[in-house]
Amino acid sequence: MEEKSSDTLKNILQVGMEEFLEKGFLGASLRQIVKRAGVTTGAFYGYFSSKEALFSAIVEPHAAALMGRYMETQTAFADLPEEEQPSHMGKESSDYLHWMVDYICRNREPVKLLLCRSEGTGYEHFIHNMVEVEVEYTLKYMDVLRRLDQNVPELDRPMCHIIASGMFNGIFEIVIHDMPQDKSMRYVDQLRDFYTAGWLKLMGQ
């Protein structure tokens, strides 16, 4: 019985992922998911309380992994002694981006759900939330540079948001277009170099 239940759960998750990928969360039909999974509606509710609960079960582990590792990277940099931060600028983000590309390439379908098919769920602002974290830590780093007596021009939050949003949306093109891993890694490195150089210019370094 346990093995059968496990197989049923895996089947519902797989069928749900296919339906969400094809139609997005809002367009996906719970009736179709139940039908394609070969279970009754009552049986489905024995596993998930709603269509959104099924979506969450598929994407939450990946949202937690991507955001969790990202926050670790940001806090690790911010916890460095202030005088050491300029020499580390870009290194931690490079390590994270390489990890992220590898993670995405190993989990393409659920990550695509998270980033491209989540409208109508609590995950639809995932990229925006990452951008806001980037903006917050960027502003903190600019304050560090000023305390180190570096002449940093004033960049307000909206401008920082525009730049960070462009960076993240560019990076996530590798998900949207299903790029192979070697090409994804090369493009992300080039994007990082581009934005790092731009930030250094804007910060007067």
Side-chain angles (χ1 to χ4, degrees):
M1 180 64 72
E2 289 183 2
E3 182 178 350
K4 182 178 180 181
S5 297
S6 176
D7 289 344
T8 301
L9 175 59
K10 290 178 182 177
N11 190 37
I12 292 172
L13 289 167
Q14 181 60 38
V15 169
M17 183 157 63
E18 293 168 1
E19 178 78 3
F20 291 134
L21 280 170
E22 181 183 348
K23 302 174 183 176
F25 174 78
L26 292 176
S29 165
L30 182 56
R31 181 178 298 178
Q32 275 298 111
I33 292 170
V34 167
K35 181 179 178 181
R36 289 170 60 188
V39 298
T40 65
T41 302
F44 173 88
Y45 285 124
Y47 292 95
F48 301 102
S49 60
S50 64
K51 184 175 76 168
E52 185 160 7
L54 172 59
F55 189 92
S56 180
I58 296 170
V59 305
E60 174 57 30
H62 307 287
L66 289 168
M67 185 63 84
R69 181 70 177 266
Y70 180 59
M71 290 303 303
E72 288 175 7
T73 298
Q74 293 285 8
T75 55
F77 178 80
D79 287 343
L80 289 170
E82 291 189 348
E83 62 274 12
E84 294 182 18
Q85 289 185 25
S87 64
H88 282 257
M89 201 270 193
K91 180 184 183 303
E92 283 76 9
S93 64
S94 175
D95 291 343
Y96 172 76
L97 290 176
H98 288 166
W99 173 86
M100 185 180 72
V101 169
D102 179 68
Y103 187 92
I104 289 173
C105 290
R106 289 185 287 108
N107 300 278
R108 287 184 186 273
E109 291 184 331
V111 173
K112 182 176 282 190
L113 281 188
L114 171 65
L115 301 179
C116 308
R117 301 287 190 270
S118 61
E119 183 181 359
T121 76
Y123 299 94
E124 66 178 305
H125 301 301
F126 183 81
I127 296 177
H128 172 83
N129 293 339
M130 292 192 84
V131 168
E132 283 299 294
V133 172
E134 179 73 16
V135 170
E136 194 63 38
Y137 279 90
T138 297
L139 292 172
K140 289 179 180 179
Y141 178 59
M142 291 167 68
D143 287 339
V144 167
L145 292 178
R146 293 187 183 103
R147 286 195 292 273
L148 294 173
D149 295 324
Q150 296 198 28
N151 185 23
V152 179
E154 288 296 329
L155 288 174
D156 61 16
R157 181 178 290 270
M159 186 59 195
C160 290
H161 183 94
I162 290 169
I163 296 171
S165 182
M167 180 185 72
F168 275 101
N169 281 286
I171 289 168
F172 289 130
E173 285 287 300
I174 67 176
V175 179
I176 296 168
H177 296 294
D178 296 316
M179 296 176 184
Q181 184 163 357
D182 58 342
K183 185 177 287 189
S184 298
M185 199 72 76
R186 184 169 72 253
Y187 287 170
V188 163
D189 279 341
Q190 290 172 336
L191 269 174
R192 184 184 62 81
D193 289 344
F194 176 83
Y195 278 99
T196 298
W199 276 118
L200 289 173
K201 175 69 174 178
L202 287 174
M203 292 182 183
Q205 296 183 56

